[in-house]
Structures are given as C-alpha cells and as structure tokens.
Amino acid sequence: MINAAITLLRKKGLKPTQQRLAIYQALMTSRDHPHAQKIYRKVRKKHVTISLNTVYNTLEAFKRAGLIGSVKVLHDESARYDPTVDPHNHIVCMKCKKVTDLFEKKLLRIPTPSEIGGEFKIMGYRVEFFGYCRVCAGASP
Amino acid sequence: MINAAITLLRKKGLKPTQQRLAIYQALMTSRDHPHAQKIYRKVRKKHVTISLNTVYNTLEAFKRAGLIGSVKVLHDESARYDPTVDPHNHIVCMKCKKVTDLFEKKLLRIPTPSEIGGEFKIMGYRVEFFGYCRVCAGASP
DNA sequence: TCCTAAATAGTAATAATTACTAATTGTAAA
DNA sequence: TTTACAATTAGTAATTATTACTATTTAGGA
Ligand SMILES: [Mn+2]
Ligand SMILES: [Mn+2]
Ligand SMILES: [Zn+2]
Ligand SMILES: [Zn+2]
C-alpha cells in the first residue's frame, strides 16, 4: 500500500516524493534484481519526465537508509538493486545473467578461515554461485 | 626465468613478444592483484611506448589461455588481475581495497544448496570476505 | 631473406555512473 | 493559508574503465 511506503520513507528521513514512491514500488515488485536502467524504464511509464539521475540518487538514498540492497556479480558489469535486505546469497546465470536468491541457511554460517588470523577485522562475506539456468543450459553455447 | 616464460607462451600459441613477456613478469611478481593501470605503469618503466590497450589485450589473452585469473570485488570498480590460477578465494579491505588470497581448503568444499534444485547447472562459486585490514582498522573511519 | 598473419600504438568510441546547476517541491513555522 | 527554505529533481556535462578501430610494425615460418 502506498501509505505504508510514505510512512516508511518519512521514518527514514526521506521526503516521500512521487518519484521516490514510484521507484520504491518498481523495485519492491521486482523479482529479478533489476539494473538502474530497467527501473528507469519501468518508472517512466507513469512519470514521463523522470531523469535517470534521479533514479540513481534515489536508489543510493534507499541503500543508505537500509531499505534496499545492491548486488554486483561476475559476468555482468553494472550494478543491480535488491528489494530484499535480509541476509542471503545469489546464483548467477553466466549466459543470460539472471540473478536468483539463495536463502540457504548453511551459507550464512561459514566460519571465518583461521588463515585470516588477526590481519583483518571481518565485517561480512558473500557466496556467489555461477552456472547456467535451465533455459540457457538447454540452448547452444 | 625469461626462457621459461617464452616456452610457456609458445605452448599456449601466444607469440612471446617483448610486451607480453614484460606484462607477464610484472603480474607474476605482484602479490597485490593489480589493476591494468598499475601493470601499465610498472611495465612502462622499461617499455616506454607500450600502450594501455596492449596491456588490456595481453591480459585478456593470458586469461583465455588459462595463465592468469581476474577478480572483481565489491567496493572496487575496476578489474584486478591475479597471477594465481589455483582455486582460492579472497578477502577485501573495504577502505584501502587491498585484496588478499585465502587458500583455506574448507572454503573450496561448500556443498551446493539443495535450494538450487534442478534449476541451475552449477559451474562454480566464490566466497568473498570483506572487512578492514590491520592498517585501516586502526585508522579513523 | 621474404611473406603474412598476428600484435601493437595511438586514438576514438562506448557505457555506467557521478557531478553540476538552475528550477521545483515538500514541509514546517508564521 | 501563506511563506520561506532546504531538499529534491531534471537536464546536461564530466568522468572513468574498458573496448573498438586502424595504420604500422613484428615474429616466425617458407
Ligand atoms: Mn537478492
Ligand atoms: Mn588471488
Ligand atoms: Zn540463463
Ligand atoms: Zn585497508
């Protein structure tokens, strides 16, 4: 609901502008970790004059507020945005670049390698699988 | 030794030019996963007229031949090159972006999440730790 | 030595992201 | 409700890593 989004943005100190609400909706209803460009095209259907820069600014503001996440995967240059902030990992198709969530709990409890010793203060880690999705595995290389 | 490099490049069907040998030496004697730019600056001390484009072309050719690897980490835009091709993982300093090897064997045997089911043909995975190196952990945020 | 495909240097083009700036807008106080 | 002003936006320019293009050079076999 739109009012919930307004309240949420206000709570984070972000003015709930039309643009921000549209971008928030666009990302939250995505299951494919879209690029900024894709969100831009989606939002522009209603907000014809929105600028790509605003999309970037808004997504970064959402990220700083902890409302969304972002993913950078191998085999794909540009940044993807993630409506899910709960800890999870990803698997990427090396051909079509589709990024799929992995909520497997075992991946969230990997012990810190003793090899690291006292050399690093660990803040986190990520696991990224790569391979071919069902569609691409069946197609020609 | 230089003759070993010449033999190796020939075996891979790559002409052992002066430029390629210099780039190969520069990377092999690096422990810091350098960017193309850094290799370029290093090699240019001897090969004054080498072009950055040649550095990129050469590194990509080496990669295709399986002589080197590359790494793209979070918190750092550009590609890094890796003299080590044996399977291993990395830890990245979120401040100074230093990339350190992790050869811990446990990280090489993570089971494929059942969650993936038959949806993906897995080709591999990587684990990437992030945090702060000893130098940056002691400094101001 | 000569020939040819491969490699190189120099430069232009591309693409994602960030920076800049004048105009617009949300909101809180008057 | 109006006003004032900082935050936000649109439009555009700048930046940066990487790739593309092309004329020239070079390695290595005939
Ligand atoms: Mn995700
Ligand atoms: Mn490495
Ligand atoms: Zn695919
Ligand atoms: Zn550091």
Side-chain angles (χ1 to χ4, degrees), chain B residues 33 71 81-84 86 88-90 99-103:
Chain B
H33 304 82
V71 211
Y81 293 87
D82 197 333
T84 307
D86 307 323
H88 66 286
N89 292 286
H90 296 101
V99 176
T100 305
D101 287 328
L102 290 177
F103 290 103

Side-chain angles (χ1 to χ4, degrees), chain A residues 10 15-17 36 52-53 56 72 78-79:
Chain A
R10 285 226 179 89
K15 288 186 186 177
T17 63
L52 179 57
N53 191 354
Y56 274 107
K72 277 247 192 151
S78 41

